[in-house]
Structure formats: C-alpha cells, structure tokens
Amino acid sequence: MNKKKEKEPTEIQQVTQTVDSVNTDKVVYENDTLSLSIIDSIEFFKAKALSRTPSKKDTIPYISDFTTVREMLRGEVTFGGWNDNFKVDSNIIGESIAFIRFNNGDTINPNYLKYSWDAGFVRYYPSERILLMEGGHTSDFSIDLENRLPDVELVGNPSYIVGSPSGQYRLNGWFPGQECSEYFIQKKDGKRYVLLARLPLSISDYGFDLCTLIDVFWKTDKELYFRNHFFGDVEDERLHFFKVLIK
C-alpha cells in the first residue's frame, strides 16, 4: 500500500535563509481577479501585526483510520485492491477506490475512465466531505463527495487551507508530485467554495517562482500575504515576501 509522506506545508518556525528587503511594492502578476506583488519585509511584518488570521491556524478535523472511514462511507464509496488485470476489485482488500455512488445517485467507476485513479487512501475530512488520496510520487488526489467533484485542481488538499477573516475567501493548494506545490484562491458560494483564481507558477524566467508558501496570513478579506520557500533553504532570487490583493 502507498506509504504516506508528510508533504503538506507546515508551519516553519525559522527559515535559515535570510530574505533581503527588496524595498519595493512591485506588481509581478495581475488579471481581472487579483494582483500579486513583491513587497519588502517592513510592509510584510507591519501587515502581519495587523492580521486578523489566528496566529495558530485552525486545523480542519480529519480521520486517518481507514477502517473507520470505510464504514462511514459504506454505500457511497467502495474500496478495493488491484487485480491482475490492473483493475481495482472490490473483492480484494485494499485502500483504492473501486466505485462511487454520490448522494444524488450519480455513479463513477474509475476502472472505466480514461485514466484510472492509481491512488490510495490518506484521510477523510467529514466537515468538508473531502476524501484525500495519494498517487504516484506522493501526489495529492482528492474528491469532494458533497459536490460530486473528483478533481484535485478544484478540490485541493484541506491541509493547505487558510481562510480569510470572515471566511469569504480561502487559500487552498495541493502537491502534484514534484518539488513545488500549486495554489489557488477559492470564494464562498452558498455552502460551498468555488475557484476564484490560481496563483501563477511562473512570474519570471526562472519558472516555478512560487514553491512552498509559508507565513501565510490574511490582513483583511481581500489582502493575503505569504513568503516563498524552497527546499534546502538555498540562496535563491525567488525568495520574496508577497501580497495578493483580490479585486
């Protein structure tokens, strides 16, 4: 079965690489929905002092015991193991998905999709009704059972979520199996969250300018701040302080 690797962006208490102040508030990306700026350390820490995001972000409750989750989702999600024909068989014990019957009666059989889900169970988030799975290279795969959405690029990984003060917006993200994660902003629409905008992977000639976001906080519902981090704390010209303004 898949080995679960801790890949979620966790709170980093100290970053050994010192990020120099760039003494600027430079817009590096903009569209109809948001603008992304590089800011200096003074502006960043002033905003952090006024932040309305709790200093210790709330953790969305989850269940990681597979047996418990299998019973909770019985009749909705059927799990199984891989057979000799490279299909997930519900008659074989395993933590992969063999069949889904959503609450409105719609069904999905991953074995007959163009790409079957080669992913094993990781966690279930009951309040979000999100089933988090792990695929190759420890990549994330997730399913929003409530909204019948099997798409990690829209559902994300709940461990990445940081909500704005009123909960109108939230930062979300997921790990695609390479070094850097991908991030997007969601907006509340009734009882669910929908995609508002994606943060760009590249804002310079380097590519993958945003890798792992740390020190994430919201100053207001429309002002999001974070620092960019790369593994190994190596010197990198992409290590900056950032501000996102939602229009």
Side-chain angles (χ1 to χ4, degrees):
M1 205 55 240
N2 293 341
K3 298 293 183 182
K4 279 61 177 181
K5 177 182 176 182
E6 289 298 326
K7 57 185 177 296
E8 299 93 353
T10 55
E11 184 72 17
I12 297 177
Q13 299 299 324
Q14 181 177 1
V15 180
T16 56
Q17 170 66 29
T18 300
V19 183
D20 294 331
S21 170
V22 295
N23 297 316
T24 186
D25 191 339
K26 177 185 177 184
V27 176
V28 292
Y29 175 82
E30 188 169 18
N31 60 23
D32 294 339
T33 306
L34 59 79
S35 66
L36 174 68
S37 301
I38 294 174
I39 63 174
D40 64 30
S41 59
I42 295 174
E43 181 179 351
F44 181 86
F45 288 110
K46 280 185 176 179
K48 190 171 185 178
L50 299 173
S51 169
R52 295 174 59 192
T53 300
S55 58
K56 184 177 181 180
K57 75 175 184 180
D58 294 335
T59 300
I60 300 175
Y62 63 83
I63 302 171
S64 57
D65 181 74
F66 173 69
T67 302
T68 300
V69 172
R70 183 179 58 189
E71 289 303 312
M72 289 179 66
L73 299 180
R74 183 177 294 276
E76 186 172 14
V77 180
T78 302
F79 294 92
W82 291 88
N83 62 25
D84 294 338
N85 296 318
F86 303 103
K87 303 289 186 182
V88 180
D89 189 338
S90 60
N91 294 311
I92 299 175
I93 296 175
E95 299 182 6
S96 297
I97 295 175
F99 189 76
I100 299 176
R101 183 181 299 278
F102 292 113
N103 51 19
N104 71 339
D106 290 347
T107 60
I108 291 181
N109 188 333
N111 287 319
Y112 295 99
L113 297 178
K114 184 177 181 180
Y115 301 103
S116 64
W117 300 330
D118 184 10
F121 170 80
V122 177
R123 294 172 179 171
Y124 177 58
Y125 293 80
S127 63
E128 301 289 310
R129 294 267 292 141
I130 290 176
L131 183 60
L132 179 66
M133 312 287 286
E134 182 181 279
H137 301 283
T138 69
S139 60
D140 288 331
F141 177 70
S142 55
I143 303 171
D144 181 340
L145 296 173
E146 186 67 25
N147 296 298
R148 305 177 294 282
L149 189 60
D151 187 343
V152 69
E153 294 189 34
L154 295 174
V155 177
N157 179 334
S159 67
Y160 284 65
I161 292 174
V162 180
S164 69
S166 75
Q168 182 182 4
Y169 300 97
R170 67 186 191 182
L171 177 70
N172 201 339
W174 63 289
F175 184 67
Q178 302 300 322
E179 181 176 299
C180 297
S181 297
E182 297 187 17
Y183 296 87
F184 56 97
I185 295 175
Q186 295 175 299
K187 181 178 181 179
K188 195 166 189 179
D189 180 19
K191 294 183 179 180
R192 64 175 185 161
Y193 283 90
V194 297
L195 176 68
L196 178 70
R198 299 190 185 279
L199 296 185
L201 293 177
S202 177
I203 55 176
S204 72
D205 293 336
Y206 286 97
F208 291 100
D209 292 90
L210 301 182
C211 190
T212 302
L213 307 189
I214 63 173
D215 285 347
V216 178
F217 65 90
W218 293 81
K219 180 181 176 184
T220 68
D221 266 342
K222 293 197 172 184
E223 290 183 64
L224 172 68
Y225 294 77
F226 56 82
R227 299 170 69 177
N228 194 26
H229 175 70
F230 285 83
F231 293 94
D233 296 326
V234 296
E235 292 187 12
D236 196 301
E237 294 185 18
R238 296 169 290 182
L239 294 176
H240 295 304
F241 299 89
F242 289 88
K243 174 174 66 177
V244 176
L245 293 179
I246 298 176
K247 299 179 180 179

